[in-house]
Amino acid sequence: STLVTSLAPARNGGLWFGMERGSFGFCDGRVISLLGRDEWGGKGLLVQSLLETRDGDLWIGSERLAARLTRSHRFETILTTARGTARYDVSCVYEDSAGRIWLGTVQQGLFYWQGGNLKRFPDPELDALTIHALVEDQRGQIWIGTQMGLRCYDANFRRQALPWPWYETRALLVDREGVV
């Protein structure tokens, strides 16, 4: 398919794009390069989220894995299906100010990569939700958009009460004034 499912800016200009059943690619403004390979999850991979981190790695969230492609073109699977277990449907990828890489999933929880280790976020309520979006505000709070509304956690991962009812939240942004 040629349906574009995600877009992400490249650090040095250009645009990364994910595709439905077409893996992912890069456009420098003149040339479009399709980068799907069998050893990188396959050309039929449904890429739902892409992120180029400050260190230059490309993180890929797809319907069956989360992986990173290093600057040296080494593909490393971070979160994937183990034999006999449910597969991980990674719906969003985000980098916070501390350099942690966040991986939101469809009904399998929230994970973060820090110091070379993958950790599960300590709120089991997120395991039953579809995580659509993640963002960090200027106070270090993590905001999570789900099909059941918005969640907020302080820098110590304690859930914050929100004073209003919310509905499905699919996208989040912190503007230059710090407003979510």
Side-chain angles (χ1 to χ4, degrees), residues 152-171:
C152 181
Y153 298 84
D154 70 14
N156 295 313
F157 302 161
R158 290 185 302 256
R159 187 163 174 192
Q160 304 299 295
L162 297 176
W164 54 86
W166 282 90
Y167 301 97
E168 184 169 23
T169 304
R170 291 188 162 268

Side-chain angles (χ1 to χ4, degrees), residues 54-108:
R54 290 186 287 264
D55 65 7
D57 290 347
L58 179 67
W59 283 76
I60 302 154
S62 81
E63 67 177 335
R64 63 178 185 252
L65 61 81
R68 70 180 180 159
L69 182 61
T70 67
R71 288 174 292 177
S72 62
H73 300 289
R74 186 172 66 95
F75 189 84
E76 179 182 10
T77 301
I78 304 299
L79 188 60
T80 189
T81 304
R83 188 176 301 251
T85 64
R87 70 188 207 192
Y88 286 96
D89 188 348
V90 181
S91 51
C92 61
V93 181
Y94 179 78
E95 181 177 23
D96 70 12
S97 63
R100 290 179 294 216
I101 308 301
W102 293 87
L103 304 168
T105 69
V106 175
Q107 299 178 345
Q108 293 160 313

